[in-house]
Amino acid sequence: MWAMALFLALAAVIFHWIPVHHDLSLVNATVGWPADVVLVCMIFYVAFYSSGMGNTAWLSSEFFPMEVRAYSTMMLTCTCWGSNVIVASTFLTQMENTTPSGAFGFYAAICFCGWIAVYFCYPEVKGMTLEDIREIFQHGFGVQRARELQAEAKLKKKMQMQVQGSEDLKV
């Protein structure tokens, strides 16, 4: 997610070298290298979005207990599409009123704040069972509890490796 913010911020800076009128028409017929850099930034932004944050809403539905999964998935879907509608309906107005650099800088800041929120509020559940995940979310956001459970699992695995290693030495 930090990479999304990085490429949006880079696009915001590069837009400074693309002169546009208030109605977003180009001042000059040729733009040159800045347009190429903005295009590359957008390609990388979409690539990082698609491989990271873009699928988070769809994968998160697996965390919910069966008794609320349908309702929760509906809320995730509405939130995802609602965000898309807000961005799509305000993008051109924002580009006209705050310039392309301002609009892309704003979205870069939103991405960066989102990355901070995900880092501190979204627990890492890699390698955990559904029962462990359910326990995590019984403790609010569960970030601290997820770290505790992962540390316990790591210690348990390390102990098993040491026991197995000592048994191999005996043989």
Side-chain angles (χ1 to χ4, degrees):
M1 204 160 161
W2 61 269
M4 291 170 31
L6 172 73
F7 286 109
L8 284 176
L10 184 59
V13 170
I14 298 301
F15 262 118
H16 174 71
W17 284 282
I18 301 177
V20 294
H21 295 290
H22 183 70
D23 65 353
L24 299 179
S25 62
L26 291 172
V27 172
N28 299 326
T30 59
V31 179
W33 67 267
D36 297 334
V37 174
V38 168
L39 177 63
V40 169
C41 287
M42 291 301 95
I43 290 170
F44 277 106
Y45 167 79
V46 170
F48 280 103
Y49 176 80
S50 301
S51 64
M53 197 63 197
N55 58 20
T56 301
W58 312 115
L59 295 175
S60 297
S61 63
E62 296 174 1
F63 292 154
F64 297 117
M66 291 303 289
E67 54 270 8
V68 295
R69 187 169 289 179
Y71 178 75
S72 302
T73 303
M74 185 244 346
M75 293 303 292
L76 281 171
T77 303
C78 288
T79 302
C80 184
W81 282 105
S83 300
N84 291 341
V85 166
I86 290 169
V87 170
S89 63
T90 61
F91 180 72
L92 289 177
T93 304
Q94 187 173 10
M95 288 276 285
E96 287 177 349
N97 293 332
T98 64
T99 72
S101 290
F104 278 83
F106 174 76
Y107 290 124
I110 295 290
C111 278
F112 184 76
C113 292
W115 175 67
I116 297 295
V118 166
Y119 183 80
F120 288 109
C121 299
Y122 201 85
E124 175 62 57
V125 295
K126 181 175 85 176
M128 293 185 179
T129 64
L130 288 175
E131 292 80 22
D132 289 340
I133 294 171
R134 177 177 264 192
E135 180 183 337
I136 286 171
F137 286 111
Q138 288 176 348
H139 300 279
F141 285 117
V143 175
Q144 186 61 36
R145 182 67 182 142
R147 290 181 182 146
E148 291 168 2
L149 286 174
Q150 285 185 332
E152 290 172 14
K154 194 175 189 180
L155 183 62
K156 188 177 179 181
K157 185 176 180 180
K158 186 177 180 181
M159 295 294 281
Q160 287 175 346
M161 297 286 281
Q162 287 177 347
V163 168
Q164 187 179 24
S166 64
E167 288 175 0
D168 289 343
L169 290 174
K170 290 180 184 177
V171 176

